[in-house]
Amino acid sequence: MPSTIGTALRVTVWGQSHSAAIGCVVEGLPAGYTIDQEALARFMARRAPGQDAWTTPRKEADRVIFLSGLNPAGETCGAPLALMIENTNTRSGDYDELRRIPRPGHADWTAQVKWGGHQDVAGGGHFSGRLTAPLCAAGGIAKQLLATRGVIVAAHLLEVAGVQDTRFSRQPDLLARQVEALGHATFPVIDRDASDAMLAEIERARRDLDSVGGVVECVVTGLPAGIGSPMFDGIESTIARAVFGIPAVKGLEFGSGFDAARRRGSDNNDPYGIKDGAVYPLTNNAGGNLGGITTGAPLVLRMAVKPTPSIARAQQSVDMIALEPATLEVRGRHDPCIAPRAVPVAEAVAALAVLDSWLAWPAQAATGERFA
Amino acid sequence: MPSTIGTALRVTVWGQSHSAAIGCVVEGLPAGYTIDQEALARFMARRAPGQDAWTTPRKEADRVIFLSGLNPAGETCGAPLALMIENTNTRSGDYDELRRIPRPGHADWTAQVKWGGHQDVAGGGHFSGRLTAPLCAAGGIAKQLLATRGVIVAAHLLEVAGVQDTRFSRQPDLLARQVEALGHATFPVIDRDASDAMLAEIERARRDLDSVGGVVECVVTGLPAGIGSPMFDGIESTIARAVFGIPAVKGLEFGSGFDAARRRGSDNNDPYGIKDGAVYPLTNNAGGNLGGITTGAPLVLRMAVKPTPSIARAQQSVDMIALEPATLEVRGRHDPCIAPRAVPVAEAVAALAVLDSWLAWPAQAATGERFA
Amino acid sequence: MPSTIGTALRVTVWGQSHSAAIGCVVEGLPAGYTIDQEALARFMARRAPGQDAWTTPRKEADRVIFLSGLNPAGETCGAPLALMIENTNTRSGDYDELRRIPRPGHADWTAQVKWGGHQDVAGGGHFSGRLTAPLCAAGGIAKQLLATRGVIVAAHLLEVAGVQDTRFSRQPDLLARQVEALGHATFPVIDRDASDAMLAEIERARRDLDSVGGVVECVVTGLPAGIGSPMFDGIESTIARAVFGIPAVKGLEFGSGFDAARRRGSDNNDPYGIKDGAVYPLTNNAGGNLGGITTGAPLVLRMAVKPTPSIARAQQSVDMIALEPATLEVRGRHDPCIAPRAVPVAEAVAALAVLDSWLAWPAQAATGERFA
Amino acid sequence: MPSTIGTALRVTVWGQSHSAAIGCVVEGLPAGYTIDQEALARFMARRAPGQDAWTTPRKEADRVIFLSGLNPAGETCGAPLALMIENTNTRSGDYDELRRIPRPGHADWTAQVKWGGHQDVAGGGHFSGRLTAPLCAAGGIAKQLLATRGVIVAAHLLEVAGVQDTRFSRQPDLLARQVEALGHATFPVIDRDASDAMLAEIERARRDLDSVGGVVECVVTGLPAGIGSPMFDGIESTIARAVFGIPAVKGLEFGSGFDAARRRGSDNNDPYGIKDGAVYPLTNNAGGNLGGITTGAPLVLRMAVKPTPSIARAQQSVDMIALEPATLEVRGRHDPCIAPRAVPVAEAVAALAVLDSWLAWPAQAATGERFA
């Protein structure tokens, strides 16, 4: 179903930009886990706009209200976990022309075809980037559960407006330090110089009444080997289905990704060695999985985020009802770059996909000993 | 489930490289369609190895046997369509070391973790690229059904070993001619010079006992607007889940893809105009969809195919049972480049994803054009 | 997933008896339908306890709060519809022993095995009959949508404590009058004498500190033929999966049901005739469907509701922690008969299953009438 | 999807009565299990017609051909298991009128509405009882896997034409002896006198050119407690969805079933005791599960099988094309009672549902320790 992902861990996202609230229902969380609500709030804050120079002034509280799924001790109790975030800070006047004039790069036109005028147009309705908030709440919970097993999910801005950050290192110790440093960063970038240059580009775009895009790189460390499946429930397929459901994402690659297309096999293959008495790939062009199943090396993925479609300059559009050309000027304030906000969303969906795959694993052709 | 994709049109793929046969079951095909079995055979032949200089000599008949799903008149009858391809030409001697020594770049190691030695190792078992044959059969059928509505699915090698082909044109007339020319090409490339250069690179890799990768570009024309959904059943998510289930694919992008990350919004947005009395995007950086729903412009996607992991030179590996280093020399013959064979597979999965989305569309509260 | 049903129309139910709220998310409602919230409240009221002599004094407001899924005009807008009912009237002191002493007939013991003590025990947690409230909200909405197509869903108490009501008539005019009369009845019974006898039995059980069960009969009229599928997504399978998810239901039959097992084929078969220029079954032992697909005759089903497990007399149980026998006395007030409350729930799940099947129908290669 | 059931163990059934073959694909079987093919053939033979006085002379080989899913050692290997049964013994001449004149009690009319004449009518197409053969093959395999854990699935004819067999005992020792005796019985009945009486009734019906129905009782012993889920993936819901997909089934009940509707709570509740140091219900009116989750007591269910619709006497029908009344005389030979053949089918679907639930269990809110 459109707004639902997962097999063993299922998340159903609901809400429109201007409905009373937005939220999600998470089914399949193992019982007995305590959710650190402060840590969750900090994770949510990484996504919330209106806090920094590169984002929209529209302040959203993003306070997660738990409606069900916890027992009196505050632990997950095995029942579906429902959470809600109230929509409190809106500017309905910003969106009046949307019934007639579709915004280029948004889903206004396609929603009109699908729902014939009944769709909720304000703020983009169910297509709004705001819906990544409950997705982040669910993913933030998944991150916490994974962390109890030593699995860390981290992401950063690999690139903004062509300015490159340092990549996540293939050296475990250095990677750990990079991840730790990102935990303290206000802007999710490893290299400080790159950070400054990116912010400058974003500001330049804002002054030009324009927007820029970026690339988010995400890594998942500490996963055991064997998680996932061949074919269509492989770890890459599971992550991909979720990632392309994030608004503004137009590309995804794993490991050496598109670069693999330009390498020789002798270079792109990862040879095996023995590490700590176990089999382990000596390099990681595979991005942590082969045949859809994890190898024990970090999962590495990169997603391309397009430049914010809403820009404060005139654009050529049409009147969908009168069927004639029309000019659109998008009012209201919008992020000149969505990519920084996509960083926690990338972590959220990766965490959900990985935890889902891990929970479903015994159910997907586990070895004989596991069916009890 | 791992080996199944689809919502309204569901395909379950079965078989191992060396099992008696491979095949698939297709549920949800609308009744009343005649399958052109000769056209299907020609489509399958585009995938089969052993027919050209760039492929493996292992000859596979790839003859599709229909077991169910048709009525006496040869039409789809509404019941599940089961088809089978017999495995007749094997070299079991090629794979003897696989129980102990995993091949870099293949799923041997990950399968061992998941199934503890019970997995069928010959030829890579269920992970084998051979399993793209039944996928192509199902996709070839989907292509035929789509064609009855004027929807065409075409793909080509955009790049091999860094050599670039001409991109699919954004000009409808030119695009139509390119697609038509590809229909006659032995090697799926638009520009003849690029074709020669690519084949030279493939041959060079073969002589070096190595392999090269490539990028496949796929286009779907003639789709009406409104197909797909927001969030996780959007057309990109549906295609992505299937595409990453194709062995050797490590990246996927739509429209301007990763390039969008380097553009400004004013450049990447597609303005709207009126064409033939209907709303239509004037450019197509969106790759034919917004918010997961088609716009009426062609769907455009590119997938990165890694270099063939099986290369005929010594590689560093381990003995999985003794847990000590070992050298692997992969015997047998293998394609120095998988990408040409991935071209019909790309068309197949795109056709399945598109037809599935179109059939499921009314079920997702749609108005507008229906497939059946 | 456990708390979710449906294919094209999917309902995810969340909440525990004592969580902040209970609710559901409904995905797939066609856009453009106005929900009559007063009619919905009246339908919900048929389920709510504390309103009549045969129910629990625990008063539940059961006010449905819509959180998303509607546009400003109050119509369904194509996005997921999330609704919530706050839990406001509880007696937490009633359930203190539950952590140790499982109540016979309830899921306390089985929940302990599954969740090892982390489950929310108060009021039976997610197993509570209270969770039929959001199910009724979703089903009440489905009833309204079906009514726009002339499809009516109605149920009554066929039997309580062995006292029989008149069956739903096979005569369309009489059936319509019965359904209309039920619309005005406080106690959902057709025949007034049966009603009085049933209420007397319920009161007798209450005085005996005991409980009684019943049978609910449900009919769906006005459905076109052709809805449903062969095998496992047939209309009976779809309804059955939902019905057995209702607490306390232990049996389900369609048409002549278990009685068919005692008939001859010449008697149980429904011959065909022509009615209003169309094919129509002349009798309806099939209960409105053959091979999982509707015939155009009314769907008829009956479900067995066991006597309320919670009775105010001592019962033999165990201490699950100390693993020794223990006596349980269930405190608090409980309905001596659940069956009257199950009547609107039966209508709700039948409506959801039927609307789901109707929406999914074009997706299963159907021709003929479509819902949306 | 219509012809698919299961969550962790998924079975997709394909084939029509007169297609080249019928079969199924089973995904999710744990690897490392050896299938006893002789035992499977014996199980299949219990279903096959043409072997005894009460069945059709149409001889079906029902030889199971394994196409994939096993490794060279004959063990399940974790990949999808595809099996096929060739259709070799047909009488196509028996079904000529079906395109125009629907048989009462069969799905001919409803299939015509759904597929407008494209459906495969011969032998009832995909609706044919023949499709229970691959279902039995899959279920027979599930039975073998369950047996390795000491779980036994057994069924018998509880009733035919009103003649009653002894019920399955609630006494474990006696139950074991009944199950053992059934293993040797040609006709699946516990009490020999009842067996004779039933056969006499069946013969009487045959001479009357009529048919009779029956009730099948099925028991599953040895299941641990804790399998299943609350709500819609409970063990009863899972079994119910599958059971109502069996042709001719019109009713299903668990434990005391419809009889519970006439009992008092004090009588129908199952008190708890301690047995072998564990909690255990002292009676089993619940039929082995509460709140959808197993209790450790045997699962007990009964399904009503309607009398065979195909009877060799004239019946009133219509001409679907000319839209006028017509008389139907069903030619060919048909079982005067389907219920004996439904006995192994009942075991098959119960085994599949139980194994599926068991495999999915950790994936459905398992306790905290299980998510690896």
Side-chain angles (χ1 to χ4, degrees), chain B residues 119-197:
Chain B
Q119 67 277 11
D120 184 6
V121 300
H126 191 53
F127 296 94
S128 165
R130 181 131 176 77
L131 274 301
T132 59
L135 194 58
C136 274
I141 291 169
K143 283 188 68 175
Q144 293 187 17
L145 265 65
L146 287 170
T148 67
R149 289 292 194 289
V151 175
I152 304 300
V153 183
H156 71 123
L157 284 170
L158 180 59
E159 185 181 307
V160 164
V163 176
Q164 304 261 346
D165 189 15
T166 312
R167 289 203 159 198
F168 274 130
S169 171
R170 292 186 168 197
Q171 247 276 1
D173 295 335
L174 179 52
L175 175 59
R177 289 199 297 277
Q178 289 174 325
V179 168
E180 223 256 312
L182 283 169
H184 305 296
T186 341
F187 193 60
V189 178
I190 294 170
D191 180 82
R192 293 290 100 210
D193 292 336
S195 181
D196 294 342

Side-chain angles (χ1 to χ4, degrees), chain A residues 2-226:
Chain A
S3 305
T4 299
I5 39 165
T7 302
L9 180 75
R10 189 177 293 193
V11 181
T12 298
V13 180
W14 55 265
Q16 295 109 253
S17 178
H18 286 57
S19 55
I22 58 180
C24 67
V25 182
V26 186
E27 295 178 85
L29 280 171
Y33 287 85
T34 301
I35 296 171
D36 182 335
Q37 300 205 17
E38 283 192 27
L40 185 65
R42 288 193 302 271
F43 180 66
M44 299 292 289
R46 292 173 52 193
R47 186 205 147 276
Q51 56 182 27
D52 275 281
W54 70 90
T55 62
T56 321
R58 174 184 173 184
K59 286 202 188 319
E60 301 162 5
D62 274 6
R63 184 175 72 94
V64 173
I65 300 168
F66 287 93
L67 299 171
S68 74
L70 304 178
N71 60 28
E75 302 169 319
T76 53
C77 69
L81 184 144
L83 61 86
M84 170 172 90
I85 297 164
E86 291 173 318
N87 279 332
T88 57
N89 185 15
T90 64
R91 273 202 225 184
S92 53
D94 285 348
Y95 301 101
D96 286 341
E97 272 177 342
L98 284 178
R99 289 188 193 292
R100 299 187 71 94
I101 304 178
R103 300 164 295 166
H106 283 280
D108 305 332
W109 156 236
T110 52
Q112 176 72 17
V113 177
K114 186 172 273 303
W115 292 300
H118 298 294
Q119 69 277 12
D120 185 5
V121 300
H126 191 53
F127 295 94
S128 166
R130 179 128 176 77
L131 274 301
T132 58
L135 195 57
C136 273
I141 290 169
K143 283 189 68 176
Q144 292 187 18
L145 265 65
L146 287 169
T148 67
R149 290 291 194 286
V151 175
I152 305 299
V153 183
H156 72 120
L157 284 171
L158 180 59
E159 185 181 307
V160 164
V163 176
Q164 304 260 344
D165 188 16
T166 312
R167 288 203 160 196
F168 274 130
S169 172
R170 290 186 168 195
Q171 245 278 0
D173 295 335
L174 178 51
L175 175 59
R177 289 199 299 275
Q178 290 172 324
V179 168
E180 222 255 313
L182 282 169
H184 305 296
T186 341
F187 192 59
V189 178
I190 295 169
D191 180 80
R192 293 291 99 212
D193 292 335
S195 180
D196 293 341
M198 288 181 188
L199 286 166
E201 286 295 324
I202 292 172
E203 187 53 31
R204 200 162 68 85
R206 182 200 300 279
R207 284 190 323 251
D208 291 347
L209 304 184
D210 212 332
S211 63
V212 289
V215 177
V216 177
E217 181 180 48
C218 181
V219 69
V220 182
T221 63
L223 267 185

Side-chain angles (χ1 to χ4, degrees), chain A residues 257-305:
Chain A
F258 275 88
D259 196 53
R262 296 186 182 125
R263 297 188 183 197
R264 284 267 180 108
S266 57
D267 174 40
N268 194 60
N269 280 356
D270 299 315
Y272 289 104
I274 303 290
K275 179 172 108 167
D276 299 331
V279 180
Y280 199 78
L282 296 175
T283 55
N284 193 20
N285 292 307
N289 79 98
L290 285 164
I293 299 172
T294 58
T295 61
L299 287 183
V300 183
L301 55 132
R302 279 163 232 99
M303 59 184 74
V305 182

Side-chain angles (χ1 to χ4, degrees), chain D:
Chain D
M1 204 82 219
S3 305
T4 300
I5 37 165
T7 301
L9 181 73
R10 188 175 294 191
V11 181
T12 297
V13 180
W14 55 265
Q16 297 108 253
S17 178
H18 286 58
S19 54
I22 57 181
C24 67
V25 183
V26 186
E27 295 178 84
L29 281 170
Y33 286 86
T34 301
I35 297 171
D36 181 334
Q37 299 206 18
E38 282 192 26
L40 186 64
R42 288 194 303 270
F43 179 66
M44 299 292 290
R46 292 173 50 193
R47 187 208 144 273
Q51 56 181 26
D52 274 283
W54 70 88
T55 61
T56 321
R58 175 183 173 187
K59 287 206 187 312
E60 300 162 6
D62 274 8
R63 184 176 72 93
V64 173
I65 299 167
F66 286 94
L67 300 172
S68 74
L70 304 179
N71 61 25
E75 300 169 320
T76 53
C77 68
L81 185 146
L83 62 86
M84 170 172 90
I85 297 164
E86 290 172 322
N87 279 332
T88 58
N89 185 15
T90 64
R91 276 204 223 183
S92 51
D94 286 347
Y95 302 100
D96 287 340
E97 273 177 343
L98 284 176
R99 289 190 194 290
R100 298 186 71 93
I101 304 177
R103 300 166 294 165
H106 283 281
D108 305 333
W109 158 236
T110 53
Q112 177 72 17
V113 177
K114 186 173 272 306
W115 291 301
H118 298 294
Q119 69 276 14
D120 185 5
V121 299
H126 192 53
F127 296 95
S128 167
R130 182 132 176 73
L131 274 302
T132 58
L135 195 58
C136 273
I141 292 168
K143 282 189 70 174
Q144 291 187 19
L145 266 67
L146 286 170
T148 67
R149 289 291 194 285
V151 175
I152 305 300
V153 183
H156 72 120
L157 283 170
L158 180 59
E159 185 182 304
V160 165
V163 177
Q164 304 261 344
D165 188 16
T166 311
R167 288 202 160 198
F168 274 130
S169 172
R170 290 183 169 197
Q171 247 276 1
D173 295 335
L174 179 50
L175 175 60
R177 288 199 299 275
Q178 289 172 324
V179 169
E180 223 254 315
L182 283 169
H184 304 297
T186 342
F187 193 59
V189 177
I190 295 170
D191 179 83
R192 293 291 100 212
D193 293 334
S195 180
D196 293 341
M198 287 180 189
L199 287 166
E201 285 295 325
I202 291 172
E203 187 54 30
R204 199 161 70 81
R206 182 201 301 279
R207 285 192 320 252
D208 291 347
L209 305 184
D210 213 332
S211 61
V212 288
V215 177
V216 176
E217 180 179 49
C218 181
V219 68
V220 182
T221 62
L223 265 185
I227 290 175
S229 285
M231 290 218 181
F232 308 114
D233 275 346
I235 195 89
E236 290 184 357
S237 286
T238 300
I239 291 173
R241 179 179 180 226
V243 161
F244 279 105
I246 304 172
V249 170
K250 297 304 288 185
L252 172 67
E253 61 176 29
F254 294 87
S256 48
F258 275 89
D259 195 54
R262 297 189 183 124
R263 297 187 183 198
R264 284 268 177 109
S266 58
D267 174 40
N268 195 61
N269 281 356
D270 299 314
Y272 289 102
I274 303 292
K275 180 173 109 166
D276 299 330
V279 180
Y280 199 78
L282 296 175
T283 55
N284 192 21
N285 292 308
N289 77 101
L290 285 166
I293 300 172
T294 57
T295 62
L299 286 184
V300 183
L301 54 132
R302 280 163 232 98
M303 59 185 73
V305 182
K306 72 182 188 185
T308 324
S310 285
I311 54 180
R313 58 165 77 178
Q315 295 183 80
Q316 188 177 351
S317 186
V318 294
D319 182 314
M320 295 191 290
I321 311 302
L323 287 177
E324 56 191 30
T327 301
L328 174 79
E329 279 206 48
V330 176
R331 286 178 279 279
R333 288 20 114 72
H334 302 275
D335 296 336
C337 187
I338 297 172
R341 301 182 59 181
V343 170
V345 181
E347 292 180 19
V349 304
L352 287 170
V354 164
L355 182 55
D356 179 40
S357 293
W358 201 347
L359 286 167
W361 174 32
Q364 289 174 3
T367 59
E369 322 86 62
R370 284 191 181 74
F371 97 70

Side-chain angles (χ1 to χ4, degrees), chain C residues 200-213:
Chain C
E201 286 295 325
I202 292 171
E203 187 54 30
R204 200 161 70 82
R206 182 200 302 279
R207 285 192 322 252
D208 291 347
L209 304 184
D210 212 335
S211 62
V212 288

